[in-house]
Amino acid sequence: MAQRGILFALTDATPSQLGPVVRALSTVPPWASDPQDGLLEVCMHGPELARLARGSRVLLRVREADLEWLNVFRPVFADLELRAILWAGSDEFDAMVRRAPDLVSWISRDVPVPGKRLAEFAVQGVRAALNAKVGFCWRGRELDTAVAAAGWTEGLLELSVDLSYRELRIGLGGPGLPVISGIRREHDAWRVRMALVQAGRDGAWVARDPAIALPGMWGLHAEQADWEQAAARLRGAGWRRPELMSAWVELEPERLDEAVERVNQAPREVFEVEAEAIARAEAPAWVLRARSGDEDVALARERIRRGEQPADEAGRVCWSEGSAAWTAGAGEAGLVRALRALGDELPSADFVEAATQAGFVDLAMELARVRWTAGADRRADDLVRWMVERGEVEAARPVAEEWLARGGADEYSRVAASLWLGDIQVLLGEGEQARRYFEDSLAIARQLVEREPGRTDLQRDLSISFSKLGDLHLGLGNGEQARRYFEDSLAIARQLVEREPGRMD
């Protein structure tokens, strides 16, 4: 049968097998200017066979719409002495058996090719990222399949970035590859990185379908372009063998984009890309796959991690290797490095302030909580406020009570702690206990004002104490008592305005 031209049919084939199969069948690449016998012609439609040179090696994609034509005009295979390979998926092959039996009888050999769900570039990308221990963004479906095919056996740890920072940090302590969904901005990704460090994790993690591209993270997926549309695009760009080139690059969208820019040229050599760009994930995905494990790339990645070079072109990172201190204005990358360097050491108050100024208040709250638990602070103003603002009212009460106890002879601290305890009791529905705390703060604030009448901050504390008691009595239905407290608060506030008319707080 072979003399009739059809050598064999690849059945059950899927687009995910295109690249390896086509590269194996064509020893000459699509950009070869003077191809020899190794060139593989690729036809997407049956009638295209008639234009081939005698004796051509050809891969024909079998389409159900072409079956009648192929059955009637099957002599073209013998007349042109074509060495043909039919590419047919399961459905197309079944249809060919039913509707083109004469054509089927000409096939020398049916070669079943076990179907693949994923293109090789998807699996290779995940495997390379896991081996390099770098984070990557995954777009679309089949992440679990790609991770398993890449050799990962520990499963996925699915979490949402919308968890509180504390919940996220605790959740990241579980087993599996961290997969974080819901990332809408770069700030979210840095929040995850910090939680990873605090959870003691230092390997790869995945941002699932982030709303934006994340600097420094690989962009991976398992999506393939439509073969015919990809070929049409390359043909329009001027490619001599667009169908072959489309299959050669496995219909990978990013490689097709590059092919449009390099018409009838070989892809860029991976060694042309600088190691620094690869370490920062600023190179195309196929370059990252090919060179992620190179020694120079690993060294560049470690330099970036240590902060020996700026984290971005703006030079935001100012980090001194081995130091556990935070340099103000260093940015998110510096925060991560600071956390790594910190280890089990106690975070400094400056570190807490820097995290606050950088906009990572949830991280600052965790660091402040560590300092408070270790007994490093006598006051807990910010910690209690953050806990209350985030709904951790019940957990904030023992912190505020300890704050009051630690205040000792520090009357200024006791005023602030008493006010917060009063607010917490109000939120918990314990009005009588709140009243006692507000009255305590009022009594201490009065003594302080009498002792230092010129201090406006003490005057404000006294005004606040009166106002808190007014609010409380108003809620209890004691209107007359509430009025008196409000009048006392208003009188102090008026004096402060007269003394400092331009002050806004």
Side-chain angles (χ1 to χ4, degrees):
M1 294 292 181
Q3 70 273 18
R4 288 178 175 165
I6 304 178
L7 299 178
F8 54 87
L10 302 178
T11 61
D12 299 328
T14 64
S16 298
Q17 295 153 322
L18 273 179
V21 171
V22 168
R23 287 193 291 271
L25 293 172
S26 181
T27 58
V28 177
W31 51 87
S33 58
D34 186 21
Q36 301 301 317
D37 189 53
L39 177 69
L40 178 71
E41 298 282 2
V42 177
C43 292
M44 309 294 290
H45 303 275
E48 295 174 5
L49 295 171
R51 64 173 174 78
L52 299 178
R54 182 177 301 277
S56 295
R57 296 171 66 249
V58 59
L59 173 69
L60 171 67
R61 186 185 73 167
V62 176
R63 294 162 46 94
E64 291 192 40
D66 293 338
L67 289 178
E68 283 76 11
W69 186 96
L70 289 170
N71 202 46
V72 172
F73 293 97
R74 63 189 181 280
V76 72
F77 292 101
D79 294 344
L80 294 178
E81 300 177 359
L82 300 178
R83 292 170 290 170
I85 302 159
L86 306 183
W87 178 292
S90 300
D91 294 340
E92 289 81 4
F93 187 74
D94 291 344
M96 186 165 56
V97 171
R98 295 192 310 270
R99 296 164 52 189
D102 295 331
L103 175 68
V104 172
S105 70
W106 280 34
I107 297 174
S108 299
R109 186 181 176 191
D110 168 19
V111 182
V113 181
K116 289 177 61 177
R117 288 179 60 180
L118 297 180
E120 192 60 28
F121 70 78
V123 179
Q124 289 177 351
V126 172
R127 182 181 295 120
L130 293 176
N131 289 340
K133 299 182 179 180
V134 297
F136 61 92
C137 303
W138 181 267
R139 184 176 74 243
R141 295 180 291 182
E142 305 289 3
L143 173 62
D144 54 344
T145 305
V147 170
W152 184 267
T153 60
E154 300 176 26
L156 304 182
L157 175 61
E158 299 269 6
L159 297 169
S160 170
V161 78
D162 292 325
L163 292 170
S164 72
Y165 183 81
R166 190 173 184 82
E167 291 172 328
L168 183 61
R169 178 178 61 77
I170 294 172
L172 286 169
L177 175 66
V179 178
I180 313 299
S181 59
I183 293 179
R184 294 173 288 275
R185 50 184 181 152
E186 192 176 349
H187 183 283
D188 294 336
W190 283 112
R191 186 169 176 265
V192 173
R193 293 184 181 105
M194 293 171 200
L196 284 165
V197 174
Q198 287 204 291
R201 305 191 73 133
D202 196 26
W205 68 282
V206 186
R208 186 193 286 275
D209 286 317
I212 61 170
L214 298 174
M217 294 188 71
W218 292 22
L220 302 179
H221 59 86
E223 298 174 5
Q224 292 179 285
D226 176 80
W227 195 353
E228 191 163 5
Q229 291 176 359
R233 183 183 177 205
L234 294 183
R235 185 181 302 106
W239 270 88
R240 290 187 296 267
R241 304 175 189 92
E243 294 85 3
L244 177 59
M245 184 60 186
S246 299
W248 190 276
V249 297
E250 274 186 286
L251 302 176
E252 184 178 358
E254 293 79 7
R255 296 199 69 180
L256 290 167
D257 290 342
E258 189 197 37
V260 169
E261 298 176 2
R262 297 173 63 89
V263 176
N264 296 317
Q265 299 180 60
R268 281 182 294 168
E269 295 287 351
V270 294
F271 61 77
E272 296 178 19
V273 183
E274 294 183 356
E276 196 77 18
I278 297 172
R280 297 188 189 282
E282 295 170 352
W286 66 92
V287 176
L288 298 175
R289 295 194 296 265
R291 292 193 53 196
S292 64
D294 289 2
E295 184 178 357
D296 58 344
V297 175
L299 291 174
R301 190 178 295 119
E302 184 61 22
R303 286 197 302 271
I304 294 170
R305 170 190 166 108
R306 291 176 180 271
E308 295 174 14
Q309 297 187 23
D312 57 19
E313 294 180 358
R316 292 183 298 169
V317 174
C318 305
W319 180 252
S320 177
E321 182 183 350
S323 171
W326 165 262
T327 301
E332 296 89 338
L335 270 175
V336 172
R337 285 193 287 275
L339 285 169
R340 286 200 184 103
L342 186 66
D344 295 329
E345 296 179 18
L346 192 67
S348 68
D350 287 342
F351 195 170
V352 177
E353 176 60 23
T356 307
Q357 293 300 318
F360 294 90
V361 177
D362 43 9
L363 170 64
M365 185 174 79
E366 287 301 301
L367 296 175
R369 200 192 308 254
V370 170
R371 287 182 54 81
W372 182 258
T373 303
D377 296 320
R378 294 183 61 84
R379 296 185 61 132
D381 303 69
D382 288 335
L383 177 58
V384 171
R385 175 170 55 83
W386 290 331
M387 293 177 75
V388 170
E389 288 175 351
R390 281 155 179 74
E392 298 183 25
V393 180
E394 189 63 56
R397 174 160 56 181
V399 175
E401 290 172 344
E402 178 65 20
W403 175 10
L404 184 62
R406 289 186 193 181
D410 185 350
E411 295 169 317
Y412 310 102
S413 180
R414 286 165 54 203
V415 168
S418 296
L419 284 171
W420 270 115
L421 277 165
D423 284 340
I424 289 171
Q425 300 297 348
V426 169
L427 291 172
L428 294 176
E430 301 175 3
E432 184 58 30
Q433 187 64 31
R435 181 182 63 80
R436 288 198 291 270
Y437 282 123
F438 288 145
E439 287 178 347
D440 288 345
S441 70
L442 178 62
I444 300 171
R446 273 176 167 161
Q447 294 175 3
L448 292 174
V449 168
E450 291 173 359
R451 189 184 308 162
E452 300 179 80
R455 285 186 54 173
T456 56
D457 59 329
L458 299 180
Q459 294 276 359
R460 277 193 296 275
D461 286 345
L462 181 59
S463 177
I464 291 172
S465 296
F466 277 125
S467 180
K468 295 285 188 183
L469 280 165
D471 289 334
L472 182 63
H473 280 283
L474 187 62
L476 295 173
N478 303 329
E480 184 58 31
Q481 184 67 35
R483 182 182 63 79
R484 288 197 294 269
Y485 282 125
F486 286 142
E487 287 176 347
D488 289 340
S489 176
L490 179 62
I492 297 172
R494 280 174 171 165
Q495 293 175 7
L496 291 173
V497 170
E498 291 173 0
R499 185 180 304 178
E500 299 177 289
R503 186 156 184 167
M504 301 297 294
D505 60 343

